[in-house]
Amino acid sequence: MMPLRSSLSCVAALAVLLVACGDDGRANTSATAGSSVSTISGSTGETQSPTSSTGGLTDASSEPVSSSEPPTTSGSTTDAPTSSSTSGASTTDATDSGVSASTGTTAVGPEGCKQVDFLFVIDNSVSMENEQTALTMAFPGFIDTIKNTLPTSDYHIMVADTDAEGRCAPGICTHSTCQAQMKYACKDIFSECDTTRGAGVVHPAGEFASNMPCDFDPGKRYLLGDDLALTSNFQCAAKVGTAGNGSERPMDGMVEAVSPALLAPGACNEGFLRDGAILVVTFISDDANVEDMNTAQQTYDAVVAAKGGDVDKIVMLGLIPGDVGCGGGGKHWADMIALFGPRGIKGSVCAPEFNTFFQDAVNTILDTCVINPG
């Protein structure tokens, strides 16, 4: 038996020989667990020739890698740099990749929509005080969620009401809904657009209305997403009050709001609707009767035509009666909403709050944004 010291000497000599001369005439390298190898997984130290690693060990059979190339991710077999991962999800450039590094939730990447036009059509008849209050209370949470979810802050937001001629006008001011704030609604201070159904509301008047001009940009009857007082200005406009005509026509209001007549240069809603934007329509009414002149199909056709025939750019949200415990009627509105398929969402106008409805609708708006890159 060979002495132990002699055995060790032979092994050492053999190791020197193997290191000294590889098959290609160059020295091979072999990294042990304690070697200084640069990896994205957190090893420290410097190496002149970073090599791909598996489980923190260098692949000893690989060719030396130029020091100008970046180190690869643990387990990678490619020379291209990759991002580190946690539970299989990339945390590099989370915004671009669509994955939030902090929550792991999917967000819209850079290919999402670039513009969104929001149209709110609000019944301003005598029974709508509580519903208008619920809408204005739900708006801050809704718009905050939109801002935190969609890849754009380029919004247009417009409010329209449901009647062409309210109960209050100079010389016609006897109805109880006209008496608020020293008969403000009866004064001769309103423009033609203020009394046109479908025109953006900027000067609501009558009982339970704001009874003041809202602070919109001059010449515009819609709000912009970067408005520093967006919430308060929306709430001013959305308090359309209860002095509207008793014949509630929300489908007529939305058709007229996006009609060529009101969108034309110099018309009331000029500039609101943009070709590249997705359109989100929300209408709210509690009327059990069928007052609209437009049928469900005619309304659908007109709104789709306003978006160049592209129904995939439209989300239709309706808060209407018809549910159990919420009175009768509303079928014509439900039929119209249904025509928009998965992008038509019906909610109960009798709900005690509208926050849940709008928060649930955000996912549909997001999906519509994703399939319509700007």
Side-chain angles (χ1 to χ4, degrees):
M1 177 180 295
M2 182 179 294
L4 178 59
R5 178 175 298 178
S6 298
S7 298
L8 294 175
S9 298
C10 291
V11 172
L14 179 59
V16 170
L17 179 61
L18 290 174
V19 172
C21 186
D23 291 339
D24 58 0
R26 293 175 296 174
N28 290 321
T29 59
S30 177
T32 65
S35 298
S36 176
V37 179
S38 174
T39 64
I40 296 179
S41 58
S43 298
T44 59
E46 296 179 355
T47 177
Q48 293 180 348
S49 301
T51 58
S52 64
S53 60
T54 304
L57 299 178
T58 307
D59 183 355
S61 64
S62 64
E63 295 291 335
V65 182
S66 168
S67 61
S68 63
E69 294 178 351
T72 58
T73 311
S74 176
S76 173
T77 58
T78 177
D79 290 333
T82 58
S83 61
S84 62
S85 62
T86 302
S87 302
S90 171
T91 57
T92 300
D93 294 330
T95 301
D96 291 340
S97 68
V99 180
S100 168
S102 60
T103 66
T105 57
T106 301
V108 179
E111 296 304 316
C113 61
K114 297 296 186 289
Q115 299 172 328
V116 186
D117 298 334
F118 293 93
L119 171 62
F120 292 82
V121 182
I122 306 171
D123 182 347
N124 62 331
S125 64
V126 70
S127 61
M128 287 293 295
E129 177 192 358
N130 292 337
E131 291 82 356
Q132 291 175 25
T133 298
L135 175 62
T136 57
M137 291 180 65
F139 180 79
F142 171 61
I143 201 64
D144 282 348
T145 303
I146 288 292
K147 289 179 178 179
N148 292 328
T149 304
L150 270 61
T152 178
S153 59
D154 188 357
Y155 315 135
H156 286 179
I157 302 173
M158 187 169 73
V159 171
D161 59 32
T162 61
D163 73 291
E165 183 178 349
R167 293 186 173 94
C168 314
I172 309 173
C173 203
T174 58
H175 197 276
S176 61
T177 57
C178 304
Q179 308 304 311
Q181 296 193 25
M182 304 295 293
K183 300 184 178 181
Y184 185 88
C186 305
K187 297 180 179 180
D188 190 13
I189 56 175
F190 301 96
S191 70
E192 181 180 354
C193 289
D194 292 327
T195 57
T196 299
R197 184 174 50 223
V201 174
V202 298
H203 197 173
E207 189 175 28
F208 300 118
S210 299
N211 286 303
M212 59 181 287
C214 302
D215 189 19
F216 283 40
D217 285 353
K220 289 185 172 62
R221 303 188 78 87
Y222 56 87
L223 296 164
L224 303 178
D226 61 359
D227 189 324
L228 296 179
L230 179 62
T231 294
S232 61
N233 286 333
F234 172 83
Q235 291 172 333
C236 175
K239 290 181 65 176
V240 291
T242 59
N245 194 292
S247 178
E248 298 103 314
R249 299 179 178 180
M251 290 200 300
D252 292 350
M254 73 177 72
V255 167
E256 290 159 1
V258 297
S259 67
L262 288 187
L263 293 171
C268 300
N269 296 343
E270 177 186 1
F272 166 68
L273 194 67
R274 297 168 291 181
D275 291 342
I278 67 170
L279 172 64
V280 179
V281 181
T282 300
F283 73 100
I284 174 172
S285 181
D286 64 351
D287 191 4
N289 301 313
V290 179
E291 305 283 0
D292 290 288
M293 300 299 294
N294 287 279
T295 65
Q297 187 65 55
Q298 288 171 331
T299 302
Y300 171 85
D301 291 343
V303 175
V304 173
K307 292 305 300 174
D310 191 351
V311 68
D312 289 338
K313 284 188 174 180
I314 304 167
V315 177
M316 181 62 64
L317 310 176
L319 287 160
I320 62 176
D323 290 344
V324 175
C326 191
K331 183 180 182 301
H332 56 308
W333 295 328
D335 290 344
M336 186 271 290
I337 295 168
L339 291 173
F340 289 89
R343 282 179 289 280
I345 303 177
K346 176 174 71 73
S348 175
V349 72
C350 299
E353 48 82 22
F354 298 150
N355 291 286
T356 303
F357 173 79
F358 283 113
Q359 294 300 321
D360 290 345
V362 170
N363 287 332
T364 300
I365 298 171
L366 175 59
D367 290 343
T368 306
C369 182
V370 168
I371 66 173
N372 289 285

